Amino acid sequence: DVVMTQTPPSLSVAIGQSVSISCKSSQSLVYSDGKTYLHWLLQSSGRSPKRLIYQVSNLDSGVPDRFSGTGSQKDFTLKISRVEAKDLGVYYCAQTTHFPYTFGAGTKLELK
Amino acid sequence: EVQLQQSGAELVKPGASVKLSCKTSGYTFSNYYMSWLKQMPGQNIEWIGNIYGGNGGTGYNQKFKGKATLTVDKSSSTAYMDLSSLTSEDSAVYFCARGPWFAYWGQGTLVTVSS
């Protein structure tokens, strides 16, 4: 199985700060069609996960452009600019290139 | 509006089976895959498998073969997951999530296995 390693496991931030979360995979996430199926999700406390970004860098509808995703092959980053209180929760990266689909262990974003 | 409404919490005895449902609306059920996922308290998310709404074709995580069985009822736009021979390790929240790539999620169903 593809292992997804997220760092850091937790982040303490002040409102208005910018943060980055790293996600590294044990195998390249480039599929045979040339596309990369790496996605980012946010799970706010007590709620279902919500997808924010798909295929590395595409923002889902309604997701503010304070969020951005970059990366390629095995190394990916989620950046959040000007953190707001509603951004708090656990961020997961997930890959759907290889079976079985796998998730990172999560990065908990909390207020400093 | 796409909606996935999951069935209510279950308390089941060890060794028993349980069937969870995920009733959908707001899109053409037959056109998309539905994934099922497991999240134990404070733990990572595990992908159990997926099923195509059009023909019921399935793909499973090897870890959950024999434990989970996925089915669909196109007439009611509902996806189901049967979990068998339950143990304490199966106590978790189970989510359904529509494709592509977990675009929409149900609210989750808490399954508690206890005598």
Side-chain angles (χ1 to χ4, degrees):
Chain A
D1 297 0
V2 176
V3 176
M4 306 294 288
T5 302
Q6 276 184 248
T7 54
S10 65
L11 271 172
S12 292
V13 297
I15 299 300
Q17 268 190 304
S18 294
V19 297
S20 291
I21 300 169
S22 171
C23 176
K24 296 184 190 295
S25 58
S26 60
Q27 300 177 33
S28 171
L29 298 186
V30 180
Y31 190 57
S32 54
D33 63 3
K35 297 178 182 178
T36 301
Y37 295 94
L38 181 284
H39 322 291
W40 291 95
L41 304 97
L42 166 62
Q43 186 172 31
S44 302
S45 181
R47 307 197 66 167
S48 306
K50 172 190 172 185
R51 197 182 71 186
L52 302 175
I53 290 175
Y54 61 95
Q55 289 183 279
V56 181
S57 59
N58 298 288
L59 265 60
D60 273 286
S61 176
V63 175
D65 60 8
R66 298 183 295 100
F67 290 85
S68 62
T70 58
S72 63
Q73 300 285 336
K74 298 167 58 176
D75 195 350
F76 305 91
T77 301
L78 173 70
K79 182 176 180 180
I80 312 169
S81 302
R82 305 181 305 280
V83 167
E84 299 182 6
K86 62 185 176 182
D87 300 336
L88 303 180
V90 181
Y91 288 83
Y92 295 96
C93 59
Q95 67 83 20
T96 57
T97 298
H98 303 284
F99 275 117
Y101 301 157
T102 49
F103 288 70
T107 295
K108 186 172 185 179
L109 186 65
E110 49 195 1
L111 271 181
K112 190 177 289 183
Chain B
E1 180 191 4
V2 175
Q3 293 190 344
L4 281 61
Q5 182 65 40
Q6 296 188 237
S7 46
E10 300 273 2
L11 173 61
V12 292
K13 295 190 185 310
S17 298
V18 68
K19 188 169 188 173
L20 310 184
S21 66
C22 174
K23 183 168 177 57
T24 73
S25 60
Y27 71 96
T28 302
F29 183 78
S30 298
N31 289 354
Y32 293 89
Y33 281 90
M34 185 72 75
S35 281
W36 287 87
L37 305 103
K38 176 183 181 182
Q39 187 172 38
M40 297 177 74
Q43 303 255 2
N44 197 4
I45 300 170
E46 294 181 280
W47 180 77
I48 296 170
N50 63 7
I51 185 165
Y52 187 55
N55 61 7
T58 54
Y60 289 94
N61 184 338
Q62 186 70 28
K63 177 179 178 180
F64 292 95
K65 279 190 175 178
K67 170 62 64 178
T69 302
L70 307 183
T71 56
V72 294
D73 177 359
K74 288 197 293 184
S75 68
S76 64
S77 299
T78 303
Y80 296 93
M81 178 172 68
D82 274 289
L83 296 170
S84 62
S85 304
L86 292 165
T87 72
S88 59
E89 287 301 301
D90 298 314
S91 293
V93 176
Y94 292 87
F95 293 100
C96 57
R98 201 206 78 176
W101 324 309
F102 317 126
Y104 299 91
W105 291 66
Q107 83 276 21
T109 296
L110 175 62
V111 174
T112 304
V113 182
S114 174
S115 54

